[in-house]
Amino acid sequence: MKVNVNESPRLKDGRHTVTIVEVTDGRSEYKDVPFFNARMENEDGFVEQRFYDSEPSKPILAALMQAVGMKAGKLNSEDLVGKKLSVEVGERTYSDPETGDEKTITEASHFEMVGEADTSDATKKKKK
């Protein structure tokens, strides 16, 4: 069998410097909440992360905006394309609200400006 693969691998767990290369809009399957999905890549692979337009997500969006050098205010998700930032890639498990089954996803979190990630608390603890 011949298989044509034109995709990068997912980024491994850990901190990575990435560029946001694509943003697509959608609505959550469960509660119909609007979101945008950001695809972030580097030479080692990619990670995708959903950012919801909801009150609980505002601090997460604020951290993302700060990490790419944008001031708080109205965000046009398309303005994120081409921006670099540092992210922590890891897995998170949650219970699917429809089925109750556990699902595990790979996600990006702990957004920081490029160059500032090495001054994070985790790194400071390692240096002691």
Side-chain angles (χ1 to χ4, degrees):
M1 168 172 54
K2 293 183 182 183
V3 178
N4 190 10
V5 179
N6 293 318
E7 181 61 272
S8 302
R10 291 196 191 278
L11 287 171
K12 293 183 181 344
D13 289 358
R15 183 149 295 276
H16 299 272
T17 298
V18 294
T19 301
I20 299 173
V21 297
E22 181 180 34
V23 173
T24 54
D25 296 335
R27 297 188 82 76
S28 68
E29 300 85 1
Y30 179 59
K31 291 193 175 181
D32 200 36
V33 177
F35 68 84
F36 66 89
N37 186 68
R39 182 179 171 103
M40 298 172 250
E41 296 181 355
N42 65 20
E43 61 279 352
D44 297 324
F46 77 98
V47 64
E48 292 183 333
Q49 181 65 43
R50 283 186 179 182
F51 295 92
Y52 290 91
D53 184 6
S54 66
E55 282 307 311
S57 295
K58 299 297 184 198
I60 298 165
L61 287 165
L64 173 68
M65 291 172 72
Q66 184 177 25
V68 298
M70 299 173 85
K71 294 185 191 244
K74 199 161 199 143
L75 171 65
N76 177 350
S77 59
E78 290 296 321
D79 292 341
L80 294 166
V81 175
K83 302 281 188 186
K84 285 189 174 220
L85 70 156
S86 175
V87 300
E88 187 75 29
V89 174
E91 289 186 343
R92 179 174 63 90
T93 301
Y94 68 97
S95 180
D96 184 312
E98 288 185 14
T99 66
D101 294 339
E102 277 196 351
K103 288 190 172 185
T104 301
I105 60 171
T106 299
E107 67 179 3
S109 62
H110 301 99
F111 312 112
E112 297 185 23
M113 292 185 96
V114 173
E116 290 186 3
D118 49 328
T119 61
S120 69
D121 289 339
T123 305
K124 287 177 188 175
K125 288 176 186 173
K126 286 181 187 175
K127 290 181 179 178
K128 287 183 178 181

